[in-house]
Amino acid sequence: MRENLLFYGVIETPHKKCDDIVKNTISEKLDIEEAITIDRAHRLGKPTHGKKRPIMMKFHYYQQRELVRKTAITKTRELKSAGLGISIQQTKAVLQQRLEKSALFDREKSAGKHVKWAGAKLLSRENRSRQFKEVTK
């Protein structure tokens, strides 16, 4: 899963290939003109009426995955305004650990702190501070 990214909010079209859809998204929304080499791309889960399934894309080269990921971070506002999102694919164990810490996340967020995830670790900082600290309790 090291080379995978998830693309959220991409409209489902029955006759288009997922790799073509993602390549168009990368070039149009992220303005990356480099030729991206994809091993595979497919939708996750079963089709549900009215919902957009995420697309999992496995990059052939880790450097290209990082280019897309870092560019997506810098263009987060543009992606959100278009209803899109890009993130790293996490394991079920990491997702379970995050779910268990969701109360801590909510508490820190409501306290006005800047909160983010680093794998299964919950990191928080005061608005004026530069350094994140791990939240355990």
Side-chain angles (χ1 to χ4, degrees):
M1 291 179 14
R2 177 181 142 100
E3 289 86 12
N4 297 353
L5 286 181
L6 295 176
F7 290 77
Y8 297 96
V10 181
I11 296 172
E12 293 199 39
T13 52
H15 302 294
K16 274 192 154 182
K17 290 184 175 181
C18 288
D19 54 349
D20 294 334
I21 293 169
V22 171
K23 282 183 179 181
N24 288 339
T25 302
I26 290 171
S27 65
E28 292 173 10
K29 302 294 182 188
L30 300 179
D31 298 325
I32 296 176
E33 298 302 323
E34 182 178 332
I36 303 292
T37 307
I38 298 173
D39 283 347
R40 65 181 164 271
H42 58 85
R43 297 256 181 199
L44 298 176
K46 295 179 182 177
T48 306
H49 182 69
K51 292 196 174 185
K52 301 172 189 171
R53 296 178 292 162
I55 296 176
M56 187 283 304
M57 186 170 109
K58 183 176 191 298
F59 290 81
H60 189 73
Y61 299 107
Y62 182 76
Q63 293 83 5
Q64 290 180 344
R65 174 217 184 239
E66 283 299 291
L67 172 67
V68 171
R69 185 185 68 83
K70 288 178 180 178
T71 305
I73 289 171
T74 61
K75 297 191 176 215
T76 300
R77 288 193 177 131
E78 292 90 345
L79 288 171
K80 280 190 179 183
S81 67
L84 300 173
I86 300 173
S87 70
I88 299 170
Q89 184 179 13
Q90 301 290 343
T91 63
K92 285 184 180 181
V94 168
L95 294 175
Q96 180 61 37
Q97 290 174 352
R98 284 184 177 189
L99 185 62
E100 292 167 0
K101 295 178 182 178
S102 64
L104 292 173
F105 183 91
D106 294 339
R107 184 192 72 200
E108 295 292 310
K109 194 78 169 167
S110 64
K113 295 181 180 178
H114 184 84
V115 185
K116 70 177 184 177
W117 292 104
K121 292 181 181 179
L122 177 61
L123 304 176
S124 172
R125 73 171 187 195
E126 298 288 336
N127 286 335
R128 294 187 180 109
S129 175
R130 289 183 173 252
Q131 199 167 31
F132 282 92
K133 295 180 182 174
E134 185 175 0
V135 179
T136 55
K137 292 184 182 185

